[in-house]
Amino acid sequence: MTAAIEVSDLRKRYGDVQALDGASLTVPEGSFFGLLGPNGAGKTTFINILVGLVRKSGGEARVFGHDVETDYQEARDAIGLAPQEFNVDRFFPIKEVLEHKAGYHGIPADEARERADDVLRRVGIYEKRNTRFDWLSGGMKRRFVLARALITEPDLLILDEPTAGVDVQLRRDLWNLITELNDNGTTILLTTHYIEEAERLCDEVAILDSGSVVEVASPEDLMDRGVDKITISFRESPTSAPALTAGNGHIEDVELVDGRLVVTARQGGVVAPDIVRELDREGHEIVDLDISRTSLEEVFVEMTEGQSSNIEGATQ
Amino acid sequence: MSYLPTGFKTLVRREILRFVRRPRNTFAPPFITNILYFSVFGVILGERIREISGVPYIVFILPGLVVLGAVSNAFENASFSIFHGRWNEYIHETLTSPLSYGQMVWAYIVSSATRGVIVGVLIAVLGLAIINPLYAASVGVSRPFYLVAFMLVITLLFASLGVAGGLWAEDFDDLTMMNQFILRPLVFFGGVFYSLSDIPPLLRDVSLMNPMIYMVNGVRYGFIGRAEVNPNLSLLVLLVLTGLVAALDVYLFKRGYGLTE
């Protein structure tokens, strides 16, 4: 199967700033892929190279096997982009803006009109179809850029911070819509600052930092690399923390806090039963157990905080 | 690929609708300005100048005013459309589409040239409506082929220049500057209001370096059938120039000049 996005050793320099520094990444067709990274990590530059808004300084980038420079027409035809910044034609009512976008992709006028009505209904702003973009509310603007990305029925939908600054209801509407698209086969590339969003939606995430891909894994795998906290309460509190042999090396720390045993361990859910059995064998009567799972956000911060000094001044 | 013509047509249509839906900005200014030109230069000054190159002065300046209106509108439309799209970033809608760079450029050129031609026709009709009753004359089009050919090539040329100008401009002042400091001097020293035979030889030689001379001369040939420079040669030079500037535009789009950095 051809990858939806295949990028190798991708580089982009803006003057003194190396925005992308040899990024390599493969996004499988049909996946829901998250691109995470702090501000200035190179996420938007990465996307803009794919759609032709930034010229790469080096490396290769392909969309469904089409080189983004030599086969740029085929590559761009496959992509629907909902960018972070609003870059919408202000001269025309939003329905006509959609018809134009469809037309640029070769969709005949009659079909473009039907599709425009359809996507405006899907994102819930059909009644505003004769309004110009400037007169829409912030949330409606966000809905509109998604509609514009959808009008061409792209095989690859790129969403750059789609839920930045939107209310909870809209965020959930957008999540439902893009999940449905992904279920129907559309590959999704999502960049977001809301780690919860990536954790909830993505099959796989790449962490980009200082222009390089530092990790690619599923959210689950990443969270497994963080440390969980297992808090155990006893009927009778021990006077000192028991020495645990269970956990097969996953346990990193054991301490007694206010009469409760706090175990710090990787893959807490896996090691907890072993710990319970060992404590039981040693005669401790357990009355409560709580596993506090590390969040993707904590793993993300841990993976990227060492690089923060390099981020300053970088262009996103 | 079957989608390409649809994409090109859509961009041309979008660009034409943009100016057609704003007639107060597009058509009213040249209409008013040219009524003033015809009144002051043609009727009032024309009374004193009487004939030039064997025709009434107002008839002599008509082709020049048509050229002035046509090329400045073609240039302004292309430069404004490109620059405004860059300024507000909605040109991204075009740039991220599967249109080829050549199609993008030619869509901007063709639509801007269309505006130039419409304004040129508007001025010609206005001029003839004033001239014919005033002089009880029947001034018309002497060489239709040349008139059409010159009108097309000069509007295409200035639309092509406008595309490059729109890519180069950094702010709105640059657009005004190009119009005021480059376009207008070329037009005013381009034989719109005077005949080459009426100026000193040195000035005439300098004037011949101004491409506007050949445009005004060609359109004048189309209207009144008299030319000071060979119209075929003028047409050929202008066609080549248009091709070169359009090729430069495509190159600039491909490089992303003013667009992608």
Side-chain angles (χ1 to χ4, degrees), chain A residues 214-263:
Chain A
V214 293
E215 190 59 76
V216 180
S218 71
E220 278 296 312
D221 285 348
L222 283 176
M223 286 188 289
D224 283 347
R225 295 179 203 182
V227 286
D228 304 332
K229 275 197 188 324
I230 306 165
T231 306
I232 302 166
S233 303
F234 302 97
R235 185 163 301 283
E236 288 177 21
S237 301
T239 52
S240 62
L244 293 173
T245 56
N248 199 21
H250 284 76
I251 293 174
E252 294 194 350
D253 189 35
V254 181
E255 57 183 340
L256 201 61
V257 180
D258 297 333
R260 284 178 295 185
L261 191 66
V262 178
V263 180

Side-chain angles (χ1 to χ4, degrees), chain A residues 15-73:
Chain A
D16 294 335
V17 178
Q18 190 74 42
L20 283 176
D21 192 12
S24 297
L25 185 65
T26 300
V27 175
E29 185 176 352
S31 65
F32 202 132
F33 200 95
L35 194 58
L36 308 181
N39 287 332
K43 303 186 295 293
T44 301
T45 298
F46 179 91
I47 289 170
N48 283 344
I49 287 174
L50 300 181
V51 297
L53 295 177
V54 166
R55 283 171 60 82
K56 59 187 166 70
S57 311
E60 286 197 358
R62 295 177 181 277
V63 174
F64 293 107
H66 303 295
D67 186 279
V68 298
E69 287 192 351
T70 54
D71 307 326
Y72 65 96
Q73 290 177 266

Side-chain angles (χ1 to χ4, degrees), chain A:
Chain A
M1 187 187 286
T2 309
I5 300 171
E6 196 168 10
V7 158
S8 63
D9 196 28
L10 196 60
R11 293 171 190 278
K12 179 61 192 178
R13 175 174 280 279
Y14 298 102
D16 294 335
V17 178
Q18 190 74 42
L20 283 176
D21 192 12
S24 297
L25 185 65
T26 300
V27 175
E29 185 176 352
S31 65
F32 202 132
F33 200 95
L35 194 58
L36 308 181
N39 287 332
K43 303 186 295 293
T44 301
T45 298
F46 179 91
I47 289 170
N48 283 344
I49 287 174
L50 300 181
V51 297
L53 295 177
V54 166
R55 283 171 60 82
K56 59 187 166 70
S57 311
E60 286 197 358
R62 295 177 181 277
V63 174
F64 293 107
H66 303 295
D67 186 279
V68 298
E69 287 192 351
T70 54
D71 307 326
Y72 65 96
Q73 290 177 266
E74 289 82 358
R76 290 174 198 175
D77 200 23
I79 301 174
L81 169 68
Q84 190 176 349
E85 304 293 336
F86 296 133
N87 56 356
V88 178
D89 189 344
R90 262 82 165 168
F91 279 102
F92 294 89
I94 56 170
K95 186 175 177 233
E96 282 187 67
V97 175
L98 294 177
E99 289 170 15
H100 293 157
K101 183 63 180 165
Y104 302 156
H105 283 251
I107 297 161
D110 291 350
E111 191 183 340
R113 274 191 289 277
E114 283 172 25
R115 284 199 193 189
D117 284 342
D118 180 47
V119 290
L120 286 170
R121 284 195 188 96
R122 284 185 87 178
V123 301
I125 53 172
Y126 178 71
E127 71 284 2
K128 296 286 181 186
R129 62 192 177 283
N130 295 320
T131 307
R132 282 199 237 163
F133 184 76
D134 283 337
W135 298 101
L136 300 180
S137 69
M140 287 178 180
K141 284 178 174 164
R142 197 49 75 190
R143 286 172 192 264
F144 176 76
V145 292
L146 181 61
R148 191 183 57 180
L150 296 180
I151 185 113
T152 58
E153 296 180 356
D155 294 325
L156 170 63
L157 178 63
I158 301 179
L159 306 164
D160 194 1
E161 302 286 351
T163 55
V166 304
D167 63 32
V168 177
Q169 184 58 48
L170 174 54
R171 184 176 303 170
R172 286 183 187 276
D173 287 352
L174 292 176
W175 284 355
N176 290 338
L177 181 58
I178 54 182
T179 303
E180 187 187 321
L181 288 165
N182 183 240
D183 290 343
N184 290 326
T186 307
T187 308
I188 313 262
L189 178 69
L190 169 80
T191 79
T192 182
H193 277 105
Y194 299 110
I195 306 298
E196 184 209 344
E197 195 165 69
E199 194 176 326
R200 184 185 174 118
L201 298 171
C202 297
D203 311 325
E204 220 175 357
V205 295
I207 294 179
L208 199 62
D209 200 8
S210 301
S212 301
V213 176
V214 293
E215 190 59 76
V216 180
S218 71
E220 278 296 312
D221 285 348
L222 283 176
M223 286 188 289
D224 283 347
R225 295 179 203 182
V227 286
D228 304 332
K229 275 197 188 324
I230 306 165
T231 306
I232 302 166
S233 303
F234 302 97
R235 185 163 301 283
E236 288 177 21
S237 301
T239 52
S240 62
L244 293 173
T245 56
N248 199 21
H250 284 76
I251 293 174
E252 294 194 350
D253 189 35
V254 181
E255 57 183 340
L256 201 61
V257 180
D258 297 333
R260 284 178 295 185
L261 191 66
V262 178
V263 180
T264 307
R266 282 178 286 112
Q267 292 185 275
V270 174
V271 298
D274 292 342
I275 295 171
V276 169
R277 276 192 288 273
E278 184 178 349
L279 290 170
D280 191 48
R281 276 198 305 274
E282 290 176 8
H284 298 285
E285 192 180 343
I286 297 169
V287 292
D288 189 37
L289 181 139
D290 177 68
I291 303 174
S292 171
R293 193 101 217 260
T294 188
S295 69
L296 185 57
E297 183 165 314
E298 285 166 316
V299 176
F300 170 76
V301 169
E302 197 175 306
M303 293 183 94
T304 57
E305 66 186 354
Q307 309 284 336
S308 59
S309 59
N310 300 330
I311 295 166
E312 282 179 32
T315 307
Q316 197 180 17

Side-chain angles (χ1 to χ4, degrees), chain A residues 69-74 76-77 103-106, chain B residues 1 3-9 11 93-108 249-251 253-254 259:
Chain A
E69 287 192 351
T70 54
D71 307 326
Y72 65 96
Q73 290 177 266
E74 289 82 358
R76 290 174 198 175
D77 200 23
Y104 302 156
H105 283 251
Chain B
M1 281 181 277
Y3 57 72
L4 296 181
T6 305
F8 175 75
K9 279 187 286 186
L11 185 52
E93 289 179 354
T94 317
L95 295 176
T96 58
S97 77
L99 286 165
S100 71
Y101 295 117
Q103 288 177 316
M104 292 179 203
V105 165
W106 277 105
Y108 286 113
D249 291 342
V250 175
Y251 173 76
F253 259 72
K254 198 173 175 185
L259 294 168

